[in-house]
Amino acid sequence: MVQVKKNIYWKVAQKGFLDMLPLNLAVIPWGILCGSLAIQRGFSVLEALLMPALVYAGAVQLVVTELIANNVPLATILFTAFIISSRHFLYGLALRNKLKNLPLRWRVSLGFLLTDELFALSTHRKSLKGKVRLIYGLFAGGSFYLSWLMWNIIGIIAGSYLPDLTEIGLDFAIAVTFIALIMPNITNLPALVTIIIAGVFSVIFKLLDWELGLVFAALLAMYGGYTTSRWQTRKAIKSEIKEEKE
Amino acid sequence: MTLITILLLAVITFSSRYLFLHPGIPLRIGAKLSSFLSFSAPAVLTAIWVPIIFIKDGSLNISPDNPYLIAATVAVVVSIKTKSVYITLASSGVVFVLLRVFL
């Protein structure tokens, strides 16, 4: 029995790793960029290592490295990091009912690993429910953490010898992995409304250079999806009542 | 100094992820909020990828010579047809590279 269980855990661990693999590879340019930028901006090797190891957030690392190098006041740096990180509050909220009653070690480890990428793999109604799915999440998230660390280290070693990798269009990879993870799940009207609103407003807000645009575009989109599904439910109930009367 | 900044940054990123997983937070997520939050993944992830495709050098680029746009269209079609991350990445990646080389 124990052996069977161990086999299942081993299998889901592998599946977690394999499902995350395309994302691990898609962030190679970003990871290398983060590492090399830190060195180029005068961070010590230890500091450059602690950024991916502890802060562990690509967008925050890129922006903040520039701010620190330009001697921007600490409060501004922290506030900027807070704004960029604010989308993670939504991830925590979305997973709260599934994770809040778990032991501390699960909450802290999955919480620490809760990047855009791990969240993207945790969208199913059942994901992270039960030990098997938790192990899946832990290995998916853990492999992403180790990859991120590895790409950053390569960047740190290569340092100033590297050109700007985003200039040659490698940011395309991360966009495509999100497309591949999201689009197959857009199978009903509320989901379609959600992505249309998110797409339109994220572009508008980005063009306006509005820092909180991502979160607001997402909130508007969620509201749109939610309202559409409520409208559908109400319509369904109404037609049912009509049928009963006839 | 930078070291302290990094530690504070780590506190910010970790707490933004962990905060709502903490059972002590006085927040009960009912059916309505839960249904609202069920749209968070497509909403946030779409809001991340769409600007990468449509905005080039700070302005909107909806023209056929934007390789991001063409290759992303391929990605959308292939991902819906195959539901495979690997096939989607490979096919749209090839299209993207070819466009970059020949456009």
Side-chain angles (χ1 to χ4, degrees):
Chain A
M1 193 59 205
V2 174
Q3 191 56 42
V4 172
K5 253 191 174 168
K6 268 199 176 147
N7 276 336
I8 293 173
Y9 292 159
W10 175 234
K11 277 214 171 110
V12 288
Q14 278 180 315
K15 183 161 166 35
F17 175 78
L18 281 177
D19 285 356
M20 190 59 98
L21 188 58
L23 293 137
N24 290 341
L25 301 176
V27 296
I28 288 177
W30 291 110
I32 294 180
L33 179 69
C34 282
S36 63
L37 187 73
I39 294 299
Q40 287 168 23
R41 294 294 179 271
F43 281 50
S44 70
V45 171
L46 176 69
E47 291 161 350
L49 273 174
L50 288 178
M51 288 289 269
L54 298 179
V55 181
Y56 185 41
V60 170
Q61 283 177 235
L62 281 180
V63 173
V64 155
T65 302
E66 295 284 4
L67 295 182
I68 293 176
N70 290 322
N71 287 317
V72 169
L74 181 63
T76 311
I77 294 173
L78 298 181
F79 183 70
T80 307
F82 176 79
I83 297 290
I84 300 173
S85 299
S86 52
R87 65 185 186 286
H88 295 125
F89 288 120
L90 283 175
Y91 303 168
L93 276 171
L95 297 176
R96 175 171 173 80
N97 281 350
K98 285 177 187 167
L99 300 182
K100 68 171 178 187
N101 293 325
L102 292 176
L104 183 71
R105 61 176 195 279
W106 279 110
R107 276 184 282 123
V108 169
S109 52
L110 286 170
F112 179 78
L113 296 172
L114 192 54
T115 51
D116 300 321
E117 286 76 8
L118 180 59
F119 186 64
L121 291 188
S122 314
T123 56
H124 194 274
R125 195 167 39 84
K126 283 187 181 163
S127 50
L128 302 178
K129 273 190 178 173
K131 186 144 187 211
V132 170
R133 295 193 188 89
L134 284 171
I135 289 177
Y136 170 88
L138 191 65
F139 274 82
S143 77
F144 189 73
Y145 177 76
L146 291 179
S147 310
W148 183 248
L149 206 56
M150 203 153 71
W151 313 140
N152 270 263
I153 290 172
I154 293 176
I156 292 168
I157 295 168
S160 46
Y161 300 108
L162 279 172
D164 185 342
L165 290 163
T166 54
E167 286 293 296
I168 50 175
L170 288 169
D171 49 346
F172 179 71
I174 195 74
V176 169
T177 43
F178 285 164
I179 290 174
L181 289 169
I182 292 299
M183 293 315 288
N185 300 323
I186 309 302
T187 50
N188 53 44
L189 186 65
L192 184 66
V193 170
T194 305
I195 61 162
I196 291 173
I197 298 179
V200 170
F201 281 97
S202 63
V203 167
I204 294 175
F205 293 155
K206 186 91 180 183
L207 288 170
L208 296 173
D209 233 346
W210 193 29
E211 298 273 5
L212 263 174
L214 197 163
V215 173
F216 272 88
L219 284 171
L220 284 172
M222 289 161 70
Y223 189 72
Y226 170 70
T227 320
T228 311
S229 77
R230 295 255 299 173
W231 171 76
Q232 279 187 330
T233 318
R234 248 183 263 139
K235 214 174 73 174
I237 293 172
K238 259 188 199 161
S239 66
E240 228 169 76
I241 293 172
K242 230 184 198 172
E243 269 170 32
E244 272 174 25
K245 275 184 186 166
E246 280 165 6
Chain B
M1 186 56 206
T2 304
L3 218 53
I4 295 168
T5 309
I6 291 172
L7 292 178
L8 290 171
L9 287 168
V11 171
I12 289 177
T13 52
F14 176 71
S15 38
S16 75
R17 288 166 180 155
Y18 178 74
L19 181 72
F20 288 113
L21 304 181
H22 191 71
I25 299 288
L27 170 75
R28 200 170 265 279
I29 297 181
K32 278 187 183 174
L33 182 55
S34 178
S35 155
F36 174 75
L37 288 168
S38 71
F39 294 98
S40 58
V44 180
L45 298 172
T46 306
I48 293 175
W49 76 256
V50 174
I52 298 179
I53 301 301
F54 285 92
I55 299 180
K56 292 288 142 241
D57 301 319
S59 59
L60 194 63
N61 184 347
I62 325 179
S63 68
D65 56 2
N66 176 0
Y68 284 77
L69 193 54
I70 312 287
T73 311
V74 172
V76 169
V77 174
V78 173
S79 66
I80 292 171
K81 288 263 181 238
T82 67
K83 297 183 194 306
S84 156
V85 179
Y86 287 100
I87 298 174
T88 306
L89 254 178
S91 59
S92 63
V94 168
V95 171
F96 184 74
V97 170
L98 290 177
L99 288 171
R100 294 285 294 205
V101 173
F102 291 108
L103 271 184

